[in-house]
Amino acid sequence: MNTRKIIALIFIGIALVLGVLFYLSIRFPEGIEEYFKKEYYNQFGPLAIAVELLVAGFYLFKKHPKANFTLALFGFTAVLDPIFNLTGLFTSMVPIYAMVLFSLCALVALWLSFTNAFELGKISFLGALWGFILGNAVELFFNYF
């Protein structure tokens, strides 16, 4: 098995384990009006990051042409979460252990994406900018708005 597949399987494994943990921690309200409160939607933020990592790992494993974009999207989202948390823009719902794991995976994902390490198609400036914008949108949606 080559390095690309090993990294992809590690990403998929981390995403599945954390995704299950985050899903099990979601509290579903009893009343209908509780579904329209900010607190309900905030708890889906960590799960969204785990899903991004899962998709990026799957694309990397399959050597999909959009793998570098999904790696960049995950990388930006996962790096922005602790940055926004440290700057005080919002309090992150991601636990510290997951934030550390996501940050390590994000650094690897951004490096793989921008260096085109596995020759999956160089990411364009517009693709990188779009990944950055979408990463911000995901973070702000689940934590700020």
Side-chain angles (χ1 to χ4, degrees), residues 12-114:
I12 291 169
I14 291 171
L16 287 174
V17 169
L18 291 179
V20 167
L21 289 174
F22 296 149
Y23 180 76
L24 293 175
S25 70
I26 292 174
R27 302 288 175 236
F28 294 98
E30 305 230 350
I32 191 90
E33 61 245 2
E34 298 296 319
Y35 282 100
F36 299 103
K37 292 188 177 177
K38 179 183 173 190
E39 294 79 25
Y40 174 70
Y41 293 103
N42 283 355
Q43 62 186 345
F44 287 97
L47 184 60
I49 299 172
V51 168
E52 285 182 4
L53 179 59
L54 180 67
V55 171
F58 179 75
Y59 277 5
L60 183 61
F61 187 82
K62 289 294 188 180
K63 205 170 182 178
H64 193 277
K66 296 290 182 184
N68 281 339
F69 174 76
T70 57
L71 287 168
L73 175 62
F74 162 73
F76 286 130
T77 305
V79 165
L80 288 170
D81 189 71
I83 290 173
F84 287 164
N85 190 30
L86 289 173
T87 59
L89 185 60
F90 59 76
T91 303
S92 177
M93 297 295 290
V94 179
I96 297 295
Y97 67 90
M99 196 177 291
V100 170
L101 274 173
F102 280 152
S103 295
L104 292 174
C105 290
L107 293 175
V108 171
L110 287 171
W111 180 77
L112 291 174
S113 173
F114 287 113

Side-chain angles (χ1 to χ4, degrees), residues 110-129:
L110 287 171
W111 180 77
L112 291 174
S113 173
F114 287 113
T115 60
N116 194 22
F118 298 120
E119 298 169 3
L120 300 170
K122 207 159 173 67
I123 190 167
S124 68
F125 174 76
L126 286 175
L129 181 64

